[in-house]
């Protein structure tokens, strides 16, 4: 079976005012469909840079990244946008909700850029909101939600297009431990019960423990792989 994601010797160099900074250096790994992988490391280790490349939000400086066997260069610009919208769901630490819109309105936003018929929108939105336990808050403005509720709304927004892959970048970083645990339980359920592939970026051990596989990143390099918390004594 072909891996869903393949990173081969990925490198990323940023240049500003003639100064080059290497964010990734020779990163190689594969992810199969249905996996739950945490990429763990301290601030500045290259975690978010790697996620942006995997999510087609940025491109590598060297090496090769393949999704379903195809590189970024194999896709046209419009097709890349379609894949990001349909195949991928993104959850970020800062929630990125529009504060004056309701939960329902925020969750609906990705559908405006999709090929989903408009008559299906309401059903999709309500199912996504129900999946994260926010049905009773669906008409509340995002600005009036707690931090945990905002992140659950962000997860619902990521789910509304029924993505195969969920990219979560420090999803518990702005939450207390109780709210963070609730968010991670939702993400874990999406993997275990619905079979969605999850790529989690985190620096927190308790968050990474929800994954089945942990890749350790340090100074842009993989320093450990295949640490399975669930098999540890």
């Amino acid at each position: 079976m072909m891996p869903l994601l393949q990173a081969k010797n990925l490198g990323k160099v940023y240049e500003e005012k003639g100064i080059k900074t290497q964010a990734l250096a020779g990163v190689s790994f594969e992810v199969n469909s249905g996996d739950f992988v945490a990429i763990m490391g301290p601030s500045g280790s290259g975690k978010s840079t790697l996620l942006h490349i995997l999510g087609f939000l940025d491109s590598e400086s060297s090496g090769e990244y393949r999704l379903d066997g195809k590189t970024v260069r194999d896709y046209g610009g419009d097709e890349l946008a379609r894949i990001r919208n349909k195949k991928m769901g993104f959850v970020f630490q800062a929630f990125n909700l529009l504060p004056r819109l309701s939960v329902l309105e925020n969750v609906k936003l990705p559908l405006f850029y999709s090929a989903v018929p408009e008559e299906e929108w309401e059903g999709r939105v309500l199912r996504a909101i129900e999946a994260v336990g926010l049905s009773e808050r669906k008409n509340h403005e995002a600005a009036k939600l707690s931090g945990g509720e905002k992140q659950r709304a962000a997860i619902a927004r990521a789910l509304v297009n029924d993505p195969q892959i969920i990219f979560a970048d420090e999803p518990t970083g702005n939450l207390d431990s109780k709210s963070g645990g609730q968010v991670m339980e939702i993400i874990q359920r999406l993997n275990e019960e619905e079979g969605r592939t999850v790529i989690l970026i985190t620096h927190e051990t308790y968050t990474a423990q929800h994954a089945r596989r942990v890749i350790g990143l340090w100074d842009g390099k993989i320093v450990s792989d295949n640490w399975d918390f669930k098999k540890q004594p």
Side-chain angles (χ1 to χ4, degrees):
M1 181 179 67
M2 179 185 296
L4 178 62
L5 309 177
Q6 295 171 288
K8 298 181 180 179
N9 203 32
L10 285 183
K12 182 64 179 182
V13 177
Y14 294 103
E15 184 172 356
E16 185 176 358
K17 297 180 180 178
I19 299 175
K20 294 183 178 181
T21 302
Q22 188 161 39
L24 295 176
V27 171
S28 298
F29 65 98
E30 296 179 348
V31 176
N32 292 318
S33 181
D35 282 354
F36 188 163
V37 179
I39 299 172
M40 187 176 178
S43 177
S45 59
K47 304 186 303 297
S48 292
T49 297
L50 179 56
L51 180 141
H52 288 166
I53 292 173
L54 299 180
F56 287 160
L57 300 173
D58 199 355
S59 58
E60 67 273 17
S61 302
S62 59
E64 185 177 78
Y65 168 52
R66 289 182 176 271
L67 173 68
D68 284 332
K70 298 173 68 175
T71 70
V72 175
R73 293 176 293 278
D74 295 325
Y75 295 103
D78 290 343
E79 191 175 9
L80 279 177
R82 181 186 60 79
I83 289 171
R84 279 194 299 266
N85 187 258
K86 169 61 182 173
K87 198 179 188 73
M88 302 173 177
F90 295 90
V91 181
F92 296 102
Q93 178 178 349
F95 316 132
N96 295 340
L97 301 174
L98 295 181
R100 297 304 170 195
L101 295 186
S102 68
V103 171
L104 192 149
E105 291 166 330
N106 269 286
V107 173
K108 186 186 294 185
L109 287 173
L111 294 172
F112 286 96
Y113 308 98
S114 75
V116 177
E118 191 169 351
E119 58 267 23
E120 296 182 18
W121 289 10
E122 183 177 0
R124 280 179 174 249
V125 170
L126 293 177
R127 285 193 297 272
I129 292 173
E130 182 179 6
V132 300
L134 280 183
S135 294
E136 294 184 359
R137 306 283 280 173
K138 65 179 182 291
N139 294 316
H140 284 66
E141 288 184 359
K144 297 178 181 178
L145 302 177
S146 68
E149 288 171 336
K150 288 178 181 176
Q151 194 59 289
R152 283 190 279 157
I155 293 171
R157 183 185 56 196
L159 290 176
V160 75
N161 274 326
D162 194 25
Q164 181 181 3
I165 310 166
I166 296 174
F167 292 106
D169 192 354
E170 300 281 8
T172 62
N174 285 335
L175 305 178
D176 59 50
S177 58
K178 180 180 178 180
S179 297
Q182 292 171 339
V183 164
M184 288 310 304
E185 287 174 5
I186 291 171
I187 292 174
Q188 189 169 13
R189 187 178 74 244
L190 294 173
N191 171 255
E192 294 180 350
E193 296 181 10
E194 299 186 14
R196 301 182 196 271
T197 305
V198 177
I199 309 294
L200 169 71
I201 299 296
T202 186
H203 67 277
E204 300 165 331
T205 300
Y206 87 90
T207 301
Q209 286 177 333
H210 289 266
R212 290 201 294 267
R213 172 186 173 197
V214 179
I215 295 174
L217 205 63
W218 189 277
D219 288 340
K221 298 178 181 179
I222 290 179
V223 294
S224 62
D225 194 355
N226 210 29
W227 179 263
D228 191 335
F229 280 109
K230 292 180 170 47
K231 291 184 180 179
Q232 304 312 307

